[in-house]
Amino acid sequence: MGGMDAVESEALWDEFHQLVNMTSQELSAWLETREAAESTETSPAGVDTEAGRHVLSILLKRRVDLTDDDVHVMHQVVEAVETRQEQVDGAGDIEWRHSLMTLGHDPLKPGSRR
């Protein structure tokens, strides 16, 4: 993966897959719902279904098939999920939860990292 060594590559892959706790089927269904809703509401800043679609495409790949662009998106998603988790104390804010779900992380899923 890009200019990363094997240890960095494995660490990013593992962290991404720990934070992205929705299955590809769950994320795909969620993104279809969000795309329908986006015509009537605005998305939280920096989170749109295009980013979610890229996450979905990564979930469907093997690590050896990742592109440099995929690696970049994985870094962005890890950072964004960790940052958003710190922004709201709890999952009571529906917009906050939806922004995380669009990146493949459902904070209400059992075993979710907070």
Side-chain angles (χ1 to χ4, degrees):
M1 289 192 302
M4 299 175 71
D5 67 28
V7 173
E8 289 174 321
S9 169
E10 187 170 339
L12 175 61
W13 178 263
D14 291 346
E15 186 168 21
F16 177 83
H17 282 88
Q18 286 174 9
L19 288 173
V20 176
N21 63 357
M22 295 171 70
T23 66
S24 57
Q25 295 86 359
E26 290 169 333
L27 181 55
S28 180
W30 170 250
L31 293 173
E32 288 176 23
T33 301
R34 290 302 292 166
E35 287 170 346
E38 282 178 1
S39 62
T40 59
E41 63 183 68
T42 59
S43 296
V47 179
D48 58 23
T49 55
E50 184 177 331
R53 291 272 170 217
H54 202 142
V55 170
L56 180 59
S57 76
I58 293 169
L59 289 176
L60 298 173
K61 291 183 178 186
R62 299 176 305 155
R63 184 172 39 189
V64 297
D65 297 328
L66 296 175
T67 65
D68 287 343
D69 193 37
D70 293 335
V71 171
H72 179 72
V73 168
M74 289 170 71
H75 277 292
Q76 287 181 318
V77 167
V78 166
E79 184 177 318
V81 169
E82 289 176 344
T83 299
R84 280 186 173 76
Q85 286 176 322
E86 295 169 3
Q87 289 175 340
V88 174
D89 186 23
D93 183 334
I94 196 74
E95 187 176 300
W96 171 81
R97 180 177 181 226
H98 287 178
S99 72
L100 284 165
M101 288 176 66
T102 301
L103 294 174
H105 178 81
D106 185 349
L108 296 183
K109 200 167 194 178
S112 174
R113 249 175 59 184
R114 285 191 201 234

